[in-house]
Amino acid sequence: MVAIRTRTSIPMSARDLPLTELLAQAAGPAARVDPTARVDPAALLGDGCHVQGGAVLARGTRLGRGVNVGPNAVFVEAEEGERPSQVADGVRIGANAVVHAGVTLGAKSRVKPGAVVTRSVPPGAIVEGNPAAITGYIDVVQQSLQTLPGRPAVVDERRQRVVTTHVRGVTVHNLPLHADLRGDLTVGEFHRDVPFAPQRYFIVFGVPNREVRGEHAHRRCQQFLICVRGSCSVVADDGQHKVEVALDGPQRGLYLPAMTWGIQYKHTPDAILLVFASDHYDGGDYIREYGQFLAEIEQVAA
């Protein structure tokens, strides 16, 4: 490997383009590469990249625009049959991190110092540890279970509290809870507590703590989520704003309207997540690529 200061750039949309578009090449301004970094001549660096001292970029590594590679971070060289690592726009990789071959780092994701990344990272995710696991998402507001300033809770005749969020249409529902020496009870009614009459339900359980579920949106289907045992966190994203809500008891529900990107993570070992859906299963209703989700959101807004 040799140290370089210039390299053909590779534009990668912050919307996490499909791989065929992700690898499209174009000429652009030189990236900044520290003289002590080792960058294989076959690596591709996007406009405005910064590769800091001691970093190692293996053959075929591709960096999008504005990627920052921290000191002594290492991209592992691909073995036969593997593809090199792909890094989308705006990614930040901390000092001493290790990124294995075959990994894609989604747009604006963050790799904490010292993390060992063995699996692909979704757009906007924050990963750390060895092996790296998702510990958060950028630009996410931690939703208080109190009302937001200037946005009072809706209180119905049963004194149910519905907490609005700054993500379009997403609400947190504090369901009635009745404590009794014989056992506690929580209850909800469809079209009242749950804003629709469900046509389907599914239950998610046995999820290892480091795994992430969801990562999709629905064009038509609405969902209502209750963690009936244990706890998990849900990130809701309308394309402009993100909120993270902790579902930590069966008396708390989360409403996700159609065209909301949803992610579930931070599952406790005993977590059981019950999801009511407004529609029967339809594979064509799913949007599984974040870039496609953003594009369709723009079409709706136009």
Side-chain angles (χ1 to χ4, degrees):
M1 294 186 180
V2 294
I4 62 171
R5 293 183 181 274
T6 61
R7 180 60 51 201
T8 304
S9 68
I10 168 172
M12 299 186 186
S13 168
R15 295 178 178 179
D16 197 32
L17 292 174
L19 190 59
T20 53
E21 297 180 50
L22 196 69
L23 302 182
Q25 299 183 22
R32 291 185 295 153
V33 179
D34 188 277
T36 63
R38 292 185 294 156
V39 180
D40 190 279
L44 299 177
L45 278 63
D47 301 348
C49 283
H50 184 195
V51 181
Q52 299 186 47
V56 178
L57 271 63
R59 178 180 178 82
T61 301
R62 290 167 167 81
L63 307 184
R65 294 186 295 259
V67 173
N68 190 308
V69 180
N72 302 311
V74 174
F75 284 82
V76 177
E77 187 161 358
E79 298 181 359
E80 185 176 355
E82 291 184 312
R83 63 172 179 81
S85 300
Q86 319 290 329
V87 182
D89 290 352
V91 173
R92 298 288 182 269
I93 301 167
N96 301 304
V98 176
V99 180
H100 281 238
V103 165
T104 296
L105 302 182
K108 297 184 180 179
S109 57
R110 301 287 183 266
V111 177
K112 290 288 190 176
V116 178
V117 184
T118 59
R119 300 190 301 175
S120 293
V121 177
I126 302 168
V127 298
E128 59 182 294
N130 179 10
I134 297 175
T135 58
Y137 287 81
I138 66 168
D139 302 326
V140 170
V141 173
Q142 301 290 329
Q143 175 65 46
S144 167
L145 296 179
Q146 304 300 317
T147 56
L148 295 176
R151 303 181 70 174
V154 176
V155 182
D156 68 13
E157 68 277 6
R158 301 173 63 192
R159 301 192 63 80
Q160 172 197 338
R161 294 180 62 85
V162 179
V163 182
T164 58
T165 75
H166 67 300
V167 176
R168 183 188 58 250
V170 175
T171 50
V172 180
H173 296 241
N174 293 313
L175 302 170
L177 176 63
H178 304 283
D180 193 295
L181 292 176
R182 300 167 297 173
D184 298 340
L185 180 148
T186 183
V187 62
E189 295 184 345
F190 301 121
H191 280 312
R192 286 187 174 182
D193 306 306
V194 179
F196 56 84
Q199 299 297 313
R200 175 171 59 103
Y201 76 89
F202 57 91
I203 298 172
V204 179
F205 59 97
V207 180
N209 178 265
R210 66 191 298 267
E211 296 296 330
V212 175
R213 300 279 307 185
E215 293 189 296
H216 61 257
H218 292 276
R219 296 181 174 90
R220 298 180 303 278
C221 186
Q222 309 165 65
Q223 294 185 324
F224 193 87
L225 292 73
I226 303 172
C227 197
V228 297
R229 185 176 181 182
S231 67
C232 68
S233 290
V234 180
V235 174
D237 178 355
D238 63 10
Q240 293 186 326
H241 305 99
K242 300 177 185 177
V243 65
E244 181 173 323
V245 177
L247 298 180
D248 55 3
Q251 76 281 11
R252 182 161 297 119
L254 178 66
Y255 171 62
L256 299 181
M259 294 304 292
T260 302
W261 189 264
I263 301 167
Q264 301 113 42
Y265 75 128
K266 297 181 181 175
H267 297 80
T268 58
D270 60 343
I272 299 177
L273 180 66
L274 171 64
V275 182
F276 295 112
S278 65
D279 296 85
H280 294 129
Y281 175 79
D282 176 6
D285 187 51
Y286 284 72
I287 306 174
R288 299 187 184 277
E289 294 287 341
Y290 189 67
Q292 179 65 29
F293 167 69
L294 292 180
E296 293 195 26
I297 285 288
E298 285 188 359
Q299 291 175 1
V300 171

